[in-house]
Amino acid sequence: MKPSLVELAKEKVLIYDGAMGTTLFTYDLTAEDYGGKDLEGCPENLNKTKPEMIQEIHSRFFEAGSDIVETNSFGSSRLVLGEYGLEDESYDISKLAANLAKEVADKFTAKEPEKPRYVAGSIGPGTKLPSLGNVSFDELKESYKPQVAGLIDGGVDVILIETCQDPLQIKAVLAAAFEVFQDIEEKFKDKSDEELLAAYPAAVFLQDSEKRAGLSSRIKFPLQVQITIEQMGTMLVGSDAFSALTTISAYPVDAFGMNCATGPKEMQEHLQSISESSPFMLSCLPNAGIPENVCGHAHFPLKPDEFAEYMDKFVRKYNIRLVGGCCGTNYEHISKLAAAVNKINEEKLVFDPLKNLKEVEDSVSSIYSSVFMDMETKPLIVGERTNANGSKKFRELLAAEDYEAITELAKEQVEEGAQILDLCAAYVGRDEARDMKEIISKVNTSVNIPIMVDSTEAPVIEESLKLISGKAVINSVNLEDGEERVELIASLCNKYGAALVALTIDEDGMAKTAEKKVAIAKRLYDLLVNKHGMSPQDIIFDTLTFTLGSGDEEFRKAGIETIEAIRQIKAELPHVKTILGVSNISFGLDARLRPALNSVFMHEAVKAGLDMAIVNNKKILPMHKIDENLKKLCLDLVYDRREYKSVKHA
Amino acid sequence: MPEEEIQAVEQEVSYDPLTDLLALVEDIKVEDDSDKDPYENLSVEETLSQRIIDGNKTNINTDLQQALDGGHKPLDIINKFLMDGMKIVGERFGAGEMQLPFVLQSATTMKTAVSYLEQFMDKLEASTNKGTVVLATVKGDVHDIGKNLVDIILSNNGYKVHNLGIKIPVEEIIRAVEEFKPNLIALSGLLVKSTLIMKQNLEVLNERGIDLPIILGGAALTRRFVEQDCANTYNGYVYYGYDAFTDLDIMERIHSGKSFEEIKEEFYKTKAKESEGDSPYQEVGESDEDEYAPLLDYTEKLSETKVLTSSEIPELPFYGDRLIGPEEIDLDEMWQYLNLDAMIIGQWRMGKGKKTQEEYDKLLKEEIYPTLERLKKETRANPWLKPKIVYGYYHCKIDPEHPNKLNLFSEDKEEIIDSFTFPRQNSGEHLCLSDYFRTEDDAFNLVGFQLVTIGVEAAEFVQSLYNSGDFAEYLYYYGLATESTEALAEYSHARIRKELGYQAEDNKDDIKKLLRGGYHGMRYSFGYPACPRLEDQEKLFTLFKPERIGMKLSEEWQIHPEHSTSAIIIHHPDAKYYNVKVK
């Protein structure tokens, strides 16, 4: 049996093929070739009408030196085929495309067992951008399911989600893929591993540590994601490479890279930014330069030698493991590329997946950019004014359904220094799911900071996640209703790639002492990380606090307990983050006192290890701006430094 | 304090920070917070100016009332504080730092403020205006928006504007001048042809003894043409309207008592550095009658045309015409062909200006694209545009006697049913549209035509926004209407290419390139250089009867409703755009 593609790529650089689309153009195809006038321009239908031609192209790329060819299935999703009235053939055409490529690959492998050949199931971006509301997440996911299933049933070695222009589209394909994996798992639930493997040689059995709640628990198939960075330096919807990587880093994929839009030269700066922190193997399949329009035809200026030269440099510099060509690259480009790569493989460059992972794993993202949650200057500010619990103005706007003004309010918070946007539409008597959908569909593209979905309702959370293009944070989960709920929310985080705020609340209610807070945090950690497969970097503990303003003896030590809990959690649970709704500490106090007390308390919490604060940043004062006497009183209140004198009774 | 001791001795709190804090409250100065006031550090006067600049009319009445309570007279508030803001808006707009939709938000804010203040003015004050302007788009020109901008800017800054509308004959302008006794006439036009009409109008005004100062504005004009040709023609003063704020600037100078000569000197001096040279629109603009008329019969150097004979004539999909109604046209499918640059930069005037790429990208992401999506969404929910197409194909052949003439034939190819004559370049490649129909062995060729409109409803809808005073929305929707018309033409043409079997050559992956002709064949609109004769559209109306989809042809051969366009479709693979000018 040939080694798995992912394992082999760790040992040597593997070579993809060149362009299918632009190669097809060289055949001067007629409407008849496509299967009639109505199908003209539908390359996927050529799998049916011209299978020998598709196989010839695969063969010639293998001959040129490719290890992997892509199936002719770029547009075989339901939605894209639907443009030709072929939507119901999505599964069949995808499977046929995989069969055709596999047949050729197997022939070559039989001939040259020392150079096994592979097939990547190509999944293109389709024609609609979910982030812009062109298509719903669910519709898109359903459109991809038969494509993924057909490709896997047809025997591909890796699912290649390529030419991605919108991170939300990637999420939809991944959601489709996870469901297909679960379907296969279900089909084989009474069968042995051997039987499953016989049917699906590319299936990978999961280790316990790889299992994630909400996703298939027995197998997965290799997944490779490639984004397309336009000449303007971002994906079509505006995401930069690093934020797309951040978004995808929350998912169990195997390789991440770039293809299309530009030649290698223009990809360099983005490769640099990805390669420095990607937890995945890196792939790179550029065009043969930026196409120029010559006499009405696209002309790709980069010659095979130049192309290979760039790629040689990139493989060495950025440790790329999967290389190939996109539009305009032909057999000769691949042949020159193979010559260069073969030389590199003789030098045995090893893949080092543990390089500089910290930043991307500790980040969350919006559609446009990512935010590092473990910065030097703490805390990270989570804007709290778009919250029905905290802001009267927000409640009024919600009641008036003025979603435009809510978006403005969100933008204002960015200007005021918020780095993550907390959104909470839970308001008695209103449809929370609908309000969240309305707000997020606007805020997702008009605010450039990551979104924190502040809701405890699983359906609201799920509908929200279907609209968010970046890596979001869910706020929150707790143990008040037991452990099942934790699994449910963790499943959503896993399925949609989100981080999670966990509150120190259990069946007994909100923890008041540091000891209890830490105990609950540990219990949640064990459930979320060890049982449900979440990454510790994505867990943010909220140790909660109570007001010091009431003077109530029971809560006099609330500040101390909260700060101590933060200190212990940071010391005992590596990689997790902490968060706090700071202004609770001063609830009920005169508005003139609150900013000073909030600021002093936050300052102390940060010293203990607080990473993020949910505050109105405008009302946080720097320590030096607070009057000394006022500061001292606040500190004394936080640490309960009351003084007593003894009065002796006679 | 250890607990055991508490029991042993009675404890009394000697220091409680909470108590001390509460005692301190009155001494703490904290800015009030609940909802931030972005103008909290400004005086009410400054706030009003800043609100105009920001286009922020929310609760402006409170600030206005405060200014009134503070002893300012309503007119002073308008002329000083609000106008101060407007001046800055004008400067920023002129310098390319502020984009048109934001300017319109400022204008709307101005309007809101003025209408609030009106109730506090006595009758005399309320009726006094700073000056009166008669405003019109000239005869033969349907372009509305530039003219309306002038109206918006002037009328929201205290001037009385008599906006006569579009396609206004000079007689009507004269009647309005006699009736309203304006301080100034402002004429607008986008077509190259309109510049000549303006000049003719000036001659008529001379004859009638009118010598009021005139501002001429519009994309096809150049400063040189206005300040030399027009100024020399007219007995009064002529100013070049660089943008809508020029009109305001000039009116302000008149209002301040400056003489027209002084204004001319100041104005020519201060503005002279801007807009030198020809308008960029001129090259691609519509053709000038005088320039091509002799070329209709020009047939020399035919041998120099390099057009290849059509070897492959596509099969006629059907003969005659077909109608496609709004129910068959999916808006999103049509909008695939939306030319974003033309809309954002051309219509919405949200070009990069002096912004850095980063700032502009941010604007695109945060303002412009979401606005477009919102407009589309609202349009889908409440379709104010009703796209309709008539198109079709005819057998055709070049006239054996006249190589510039294309004859259209009846279905049995026996009879000539109509013909079109196109001008031929007398330089360069000596091209003529008829050349693209050359065939071998005198075979018949085929030609396509299309007439498209987004319906009279679109203009009505856009007008209702204008009337409601929501100028930014007006601009956005007007732009979407105009570019949707172009997108519909592109959509229709794509359909024709599909029927002719050329769909595979469409540059589908790059819509920008597709819109620049990245497909097989070419489409030519009447009025543009290769087929400049607008009157040829009469023949189209006879052949296609587009009255069925609500289209009408005016005396000046302009199509109504405004958002309509017609074209000839040529399938020759080498067909391209070229200019026709007497060289």
Side-chain angles (χ1 to χ4, degrees):
Chain A
M1 210 180 81
K2 66 185 184 188
S4 95
L5 184 148
V6 175
E7 290 310 314
L8 189 60
K10 286 177 186 165
E11 288 165 28
K12 57 184 261 195
V13 178
L14 296 180
I15 303 155
Y16 261 93
D17 55 2
M20 173 60 78
T22 48
T23 305
L24 284 173
F25 290 147
T26 62
Y27 282 80
D28 285 328
L29 294 165
T30 65
E32 202 189 323
D33 293 328
Y34 280 104
K37 266 212 148 144
D38 292 343
L39 298 173
E40 193 171 356
C42 176
E44 290 75 24
N45 207 52
L46 294 168
N47 291 316
K48 282 154 60 187
T49 57
K50 292 261 159 195
E52 68 294 338
M53 182 181 85
I54 300 299
Q55 289 197 321
E56 178 184 83
I57 294 173
H58 291 326
S59 295
R60 292 192 58 187
F61 275 121
F62 278 140
E63 279 161 13
S66 292
D67 298 292
I68 313 163
V69 296
E70 292 186 28
T71 55
N72 178 32
S73 60
F74 190 77
S76 70
S77 66
R78 280 186 65 87
L79 271 173
V80 180
L81 286 179
E83 294 184 9
Y84 300 92
L86 297 177
E87 60 274 24
D88 292 335
E89 295 185 39
S90 174
Y91 174 85
D92 292 336
I93 289 178
S94 306
K95 188 173 174 183
L96 175 61
N99 286 152
L100 292 177
K102 189 169 183 334
E103 204 177 284
V104 181
D106 287 349
K107 249 185 239 165
F108 275 83
T109 307
K111 228 170 15 189
E112 281 179 274
E114 70 286 359
K115 185 176 168 75
R117 308 299 170 101
Y118 297 88
V119 173
S122 163
I123 295 181
T127 49
K128 294 181 173 11
L129 300 170
S131 287
L132 301 187
N134 294 343
V135 62
S136 76
F137 186 90
D138 286 332
E139 195 187 341
L140 202 53
K141 184 192 72 186
E142 291 306 318
S143 158
Y144 284 119
K145 266 184 82 172
Q147 186 179 18
V148 176
L151 290 170
I152 290 182
D153 288 353
V156 301
D157 296 288
V158 57
I159 293 289
L160 175 63
I161 304 164
E162 62 173 332
T163 325
C164 299
Q165 301 168 325
D166 179 349
L168 193 52
Q169 176 260 341
I170 307 176
K171 291 181 168 196
V173 189
L174 289 171
F178 296 146
E179 288 183 13
V180 170
F181 300 168
Q182 282 175 323
D183 291 346
I184 293 171
E185 197 167 285
E186 180 61 26
K187 213 167 69 187
F188 281 80
K189 68 170 187 262
D190 301 325
K191 305 256 171 68
S192 70
D193 286 358
E194 288 68 31
E195 283 171 289
L196 196 156
L197 211 51
Y200 295 102
V204 178
F205 290 93
L206 298 176
Q207 308 292 313
D208 277 348
S209 63
E210 292 174 316
K211 292 180 180 168
R212 301 185 184 207
L215 309 188
S216 50
S217 59
R218 187 175 173 197
I219 49 153
K220 60 167 255 178
F221 290 83
L223 292 164
Q224 179 173 349
V225 173
Q226 281 169 186
I227 57 170
T228 293
I229 299 289
E230 304 288 335
Q231 281 182 64
M232 59 193 175
T234 63
M235 292 168 77
L236 196 59
V237 296
S239 323
D240 63 37
F242 192 83
S243 59
L245 174 64
T246 302
T247 305
I248 300 311
S249 70
Y251 289 94
V253 310
D254 299 280
F256 181 87
M258 298 173 62
N259 73 293
C260 209
T262 67
K265 187 169 82 185
E266 296 77 14
M267 287 188 177
Q268 184 158 4
E269 63 167 300
H270 311 296
L271 285 173
Q272 171 101 37
S273 100
I274 302 174
S275 74
E276 279 171 4
S277 49
S278 178
F280 309 121
M281 282 195 291
L282 192 56
S283 69
C284 177
L285 285 74
N287 288 350
I290 295 172
E292 297 154 5
N293 190 339
V294 177
C295 308
H297 295 282
H299 169 76
F300 290 87
L302 208 60
K303 302 274 171 290
D305 281 324
E306 302 168 278
F307 181 80
E309 208 172 298
Y310 273 114
M311 298 306 285
D312 179 76
K313 190 171 92 183
F314 288 177
V315 168
R316 292 171 189 278
K317 197 159 174 190
Y318 305 121
N319 197 8
I320 298 170
R321 306 308 293 179
L322 299 153
V323 292
C326 201
C327 303
T329 55
N330 54 34
Y331 309 120
E332 188 150 351
H333 287 90
I334 296 306
S335 153
K336 297 281 184 192
L337 174 65
V341 169
N342 289 339
K343 245 177 100 189
I344 292 174
N345 281 337
E346 283 165 22
E347 298 166 26
K348 296 213 183 299
L349 296 176
V350 264
F351 172 61
D352 172 16
L354 291 173
K355 200 176 61 172
N356 304 325
L357 291 192
K358 192 159 169 50
E359 192 171 339
V360 70
E361 304 241 300
D362 276 321
S363 294
V364 287
S365 56
S366 71
I367 184 170
Y368 304 123
S369 55
S370 69
V371 169
F372 184 40
M373 293 188 285
D374 196 17
M375 284 181 307
E376 290 291 312
T377 49
K378 292 202 170 150
L380 196 72
I381 302 297
V382 181
E384 65 169 2
R385 289 173 58 215
T386 36
N387 186 321
N389 293 323
S391 160
K392 182 159 153 281
K393 181 172 182 185
F394 182 81
R395 277 198 299 274
E396 286 164 3
L397 294 174
L398 206 53
E401 307 204 341
D402 192 346
Y403 301 113
E404 291 291 333
I406 288 175
T407 310
E408 287 308 309
L409 193 60
K411 286 191 205 166
E412 272 174 31
Q413 294 190 77
V414 181
E415 278 166 32
E416 291 162 10
Q419 291 153 300
I420 293 180
L421 185 74
D422 185 81
L423 279 179
C424 173
Y427 187 25
V428 184
R430 293 196 56 83
D431 181 347
E432 185 188 356
R434 176 176 161 262
D435 282 336
M436 275 303 249
K437 279 167 81 170
E438 289 286 345
I439 297 169
I440 289 177
S441 56
K442 288 198 161 56
V443 165
N444 181 45
T445 49
S446 37
V447 173
N448 60 8
I449 58 176
I451 295 172
M452 180 177 275
V453 178
D454 193 341
S455 173
T456 49
E457 298 298 315
V460 174
I461 294 173
E462 180 156 22
E463 289 310 309
S464 300
L465 287 171
K466 286 177 186 174
L467 293 165
I468 297 176
S469 309
K471 177 179 172 187
V473 185
I474 303 305
N475 184 8
S476 58
V477 72
N478 64 63
L479 282 162
E480 195 173 10
D481 299 321
E483 298 188 354
E484 258 172 51
R485 222 189 138 65
V486 175
E487 176 168 7
L488 178 62
I489 305 294
S491 300
L492 293 176
C493 289
N494 288 337
K495 202 166 164 187
Y496 297 96
L500 177 63
V501 173
L503 311 183
T504 52
I505 302 177
D506 67 3
E507 292 84 343
D508 303 330
M510 278 167 76
K512 297 196 182 80
T513 63
E515 189 189 355
K516 187 78 199 269
K517 288 176 203 263
V518 174
I520 297 175
K522 285 183 174 168
R523 188 172 155 209
L524 280 164
Y525 180 97
D526 187 51
L527 287 170
L528 293 170
V529 176
N530 299 333
K531 193 162 173 202
H532 302 314
M534 286 191 69
S535 131
Q537 280 87 348
D538 285 340
I539 312 224
I540 305 158
F541 284 109
D542 187 337
T543 53
L544 306 168
T545 193
F546 301 89
T547 180
L548 296 173
S550 68
D552 202 330
E553 200 56 48
E554 187 187 355
F555 296 116
R556 280 287 186 164
K557 303 224 179 299
I560 301 174
E561 301 292 347
T562 300
I563 289 171
E564 186 51 33
I566 291 171
R567 194 189 321 280
Q568 289 183 30
I569 287 171
K570 288 296 283 185
E572 294 175 34
L573 298 174
H575 304 304
V576 304
K577 316 281 181 301
T578 52
I579 191 170
L580 201 55
V582 170
S583 54
N584 285 336
I585 197 77
S586 64
F587 187 77
L589 278 175
D590 190 286
R592 287 165 289 188
L593 282 175
R594 295 190 70 179
L597 180 57
N598 292 348
S599 307
V600 168
F601 177 58
M602 189 174 95
H603 185 73
E604 296 304 303
V606 167
K607 284 202 290 190
L610 182 70
D611 297 295
M612 304 155 92
I614 308 179
V615 286
N616 181 349
N617 194 36
K618 234 181 47 172
K619 285 189 246 170
I620 290 299
L621 310 165
M623 285 302 107
H624 67 268
K625 284 235 171 121
I626 304 173
D627 171 79
E628 281 304 322
N629 182 36
L630 179 58
K631 188 158 56 182
K632 177 183 177 296
L633 289 174
C634 290
L635 277 170
D636 288 350
L637 184 62
V638 167
Y639 289 109
D640 191 25
R641 292 174 188 146
R642 282 177 292 178
E643 288 169 16
Y644 302 85
K645 63 181 179 200
S646 306
V647 183
K648 281 191 185 159
H649 288 269
Chain B
M1 178 77 40
E3 259 183 49
E4 49 273 27
E5 281 180 44
I6 297 173
Q7 286 159 359
V9 286
E10 193 73 17
Q11 293 289 330
E12 198 171 90
V13 176
S14 60
Y15 163 66
D16 184 343
L18 183 60
T19 318
D20 288 21
L21 269 174
L22 293 174
L24 204 67
V25 165
E26 296 304 323
D27 300 335
I28 302 175
K29 285 204 194 83
V30 180
E31 289 139 19
D32 183 20
D33 53 330
S34 54
D35 284 317
K36 70 155 184 182
D37 174 5
Y39 308 113
E40 59 194 347
N41 298 323
L42 301 181
S43 68
V44 67
E45 295 83 2
E46 290 166 329
T47 298
L48 287 170
S49 300
Q50 193 59 42
R51 276 177 170 280
I52 297 295
I53 297 167
D54 296 345
N56 180 350
K57 63 180 162 56
T58 314
N59 299 328
I60 193 171
N61 292 357
T62 319
D63 290 330
L64 289 167
Q65 190 59 51
Q66 203 187 328
L68 288 167
D69 295 346
H72 293 298
K73 291 199 178 111
L75 270 183
D76 289 343
I77 294 175
I78 296 173
N79 290 333
K80 289 184 188 150
F81 316 132
L82 300 178
M83 277 304 296
D84 279 352
M86 212 61 202
K87 274 180 202 146
I88 292 173
V89 171
E91 283 164 17
R92 291 190 183 169
F93 179 61
E97 292 163 12
M98 192 165 169
Q99 280 128 332
L100 191 54
F102 304 119
V103 171
L104 294 177
Q105 282 167 16
S106 295
T108 304
T109 306
M110 191 78 179
K111 185 175 177 150
T112 309
V114 170
S115 57
Y116 180 78
L117 291 172
E118 267 168 3
Q119 57 183 311
F120 303 104
M121 300 183 196
D122 58 42
K123 270 192 187 146
L124 188 69
E125 277 181 324
S127 64
T128 352
N129 73 68
K130 293 158 70 182
T132 303
V133 176
V134 161
L135 173 67
T137 299
V138 296
K139 185 182 159 181
D141 197 328
V142 297
H143 293 92
D144 213 10
I145 198 147
K147 168 187 66 71
N148 284 348
L149 292 179
V150 173
D151 185 359
I152 292 165
I153 301 296
L154 285 178
S155 50
N156 287 309
N157 285 290
Y159 295 91
K160 178 79 193 154
V161 178
H162 295 278
N163 185 343
L164 305 183
I166 54 174
K167 301 179 295 159
I168 302 300
V170 66
E171 289 304 329
E172 205 175 312
I173 297 169
I174 292 168
R175 266 200 304 278
V177 167
E178 284 163 357
E179 187 183 345
F180 304 120
K181 311 242 175 310
N183 305 81
L184 182 144
I185 303 167
L187 299 180
S188 167
L190 185 107
L191 308 180
V192 175
K193 195 176 70 182
S194 300
T195 63
L196 297 176
I197 304 245
M198 286 177 188
K199 210 172 143 191
Q200 289 163 15
N201 287 352
L202 295 178
E203 284 161 12
V204 179
L205 293 174
N206 282 343
E207 288 164 19
R208 302 297 178 87
I210 294 172
D211 61 357
L212 286 173
I214 289 186
I215 302 177
L216 300 177
L221 288 168
T222 61
R223 156 154 251 134
R224 187 182 48 76
F225 179 77
V226 173
E227 291 178 356
Q228 291 177 17
D229 297 24
C230 295
N232 292 339
T233 305
Y234 187 53
N235 292 340
Y237 286 91
V238 181
Y239 305 106
Y240 172 59
Y242 175 70
D243 60 29
F245 283 94
T246 312
D247 299 59
L248 179 61
D249 191 0
I250 290 171
M251 285 308 286
E252 287 284 295
R253 286 168 204 251
I254 294 174
H255 180 62
S256 70
K258 293 244 163 84
S259 76
F260 298 134
E261 184 60 33
E262 276 177 292
I263 295 170
K264 181 182 160 180
E265 278 179 12
E266 290 171 4
F267 186 67
Y268 281 34
K269 211 185 291 168
T270 56
K271 299 274 177 174
K273 56 184 180 294
E274 293 161 14
S275 177
E276 289 292 350
D278 285 344
S279 156
Y281 288 83
Q282 202 154 31
E283 283 302 307
V284 294
E286 310 200 3
S287 229
D288 178 354
E289 193 163 348
D290 298 341
E291 300 214 351
Y292 68 77
L295 299 178
L296 290 174
D297 290 325
Y298 174 82
T299 54
E300 286 165 42
K301 299 202 179 173
L302 270 181
S303 57
E304 293 195 11
T305 66
K306 300 255 178 345
V307 177
L308 294 176
T309 301
S310 298
S311 52
E312 267 183 45
I313 315 278
E315 203 181 317
L316 194 73
F318 57 86
Y319 179 88
D321 59 274
R322 266 187 199 168
L323 193 151
I324 304 172
E327 64 289 344
E328 294 174 65
I329 300 170
D330 179 67
L331 289 181
D332 285 298
E333 220 173 296
M334 175 180 92
W335 281 331
Q336 281 177 18
Y337 299 103
L338 212 49
N339 185 334
L340 287 184
D341 284 347
M343 187 160 72
I344 294 167
I345 301 166
Q347 299 287 342
W348 292 359
R349 310 304 291 272
M350 303 259 256
K352 184 162 164 286
K354 295 204 170 145
K355 295 189 177 324
T356 64
Q357 190 60 43
E358 200 173 303
E359 286 166 342
Y360 187 57
D361 288 345
K362 190 168 169 237
L363 185 74
L364 280 170
K365 267 183 223 166
E366 294 179 5
E367 291 274 351
I368 301 178
Y369 293 147
T371 299
L372 175 59
E373 285 312 310
R374 174 174 62 81
L375 261 55
K376 283 181 171 179
K377 196 172 162 190
E378 283 165 10
T379 305
R380 282 182 211 112
N382 179 22
W384 49 271
L385 47 82
K386 308 251 184 262
K388 292 174 273 257
I389 300 168
V390 269
Y391 76 106
Y393 309 91
Y394 286 92
H395 301 299
C396 68
K397 214 184 249 188
I398 301 170
D399 191 286
E401 307 286 307
H402 193 337
N404 296 3
K405 187 171 172 189
L406 187 70
N407 292 327
L408 269 49
F409 286 79
S410 58
E411 189 164 11
D412 57 12
K413 302 183 181 172
E414 295 291 323
E415 250 177 277
I416 294 176
I417 56 168
D418 217 328
S419 62
F420 290 86
T421 307
F422 305 106
R424 179 174 299 282
Q425 290 178 310
N426 65 350
S427 61
E429 298 177 67
H430 296 269
L431 277 172
C432 175
L433 281 193
S434 59
D435 296 349
Y436 293 125
F437 294 91
R438 291 175 186 173
T439 52
E440 282 164 15
D441 308 328
D442 198 30
F444 277 92
N445 206 327
L446 76 86
V447 58
F449 295 97
Q450 65 179 35
L451 293 110
V452 309
T453 180
I454 59 165
V456 70
E457 297 87 349
E460 285 167 1
F461 173 74
V462 170
Q463 186 62 39
S464 74
L465 290 173
Y466 183 70
N467 294 343
S468 74
D470 201 343
F471 302 125
E473 284 296 279
Y474 162 71
L475 177 78
Y476 286 140
Y477 275 106
Y478 189 100
L480 183 62
T482 305
E483 291 307 324
S484 290
T485 312
E486 293 304 316
L488 180 62
E490 204 64 67
Y491 167 89
S492 169
H493 188 193
R495 186 181 177 112
I496 288 172
R497 288 193 302 275
K498 193 173 175 188
E499 289 182 354
L500 294 175
Y502 296 124
Q503 187 196 18
E505 290 171 54
D506 282 10
N507 196 335
K508 275 195 209 121
D509 300 332
D510 188 338
I511 191 70
K512 283 192 181 169
K513 285 190 181 145
L514 181 87
L515 294 177
R516 285 201 302 266
Y519 44 64
H520 186 109
M522 201 52 83
R523 176 176 85 252
Y524 302 84
S525 282
F526 287 93
Y528 285 84
C531 46
R533 283 157 53 99
L534 284 170
E535 56 265 46
D536 278 349
Q537 295 188 115
E538 266 182 25
K539 297 174 187 171
L540 287 187
F541 270 64
T542 311
L543 290 169
F544 286 91
K545 299 176 198 62
E547 294 84 357
R548 292 176 290 166
I549 57 170
M551 291 167 89
K552 279 184 287 196
L553 205 57
S554 76
E555 283 173 42
E556 296 86 15
W557 302 292
Q558 294 281 333
I559 304 179
H560 293 266
E562 183 185 351
H563 301 290
S564 308
T565 170
S566 70
I568 176 171
I569 314 282
I570 294 182
H571 66 73
H572 194 289
D574 300 334
K576 61 175 184 183
Y577 289 135
Y578 55 86
N579 210 342
V580 181
K581 259 188 176 175
V582 177
K583 290 267 159 75

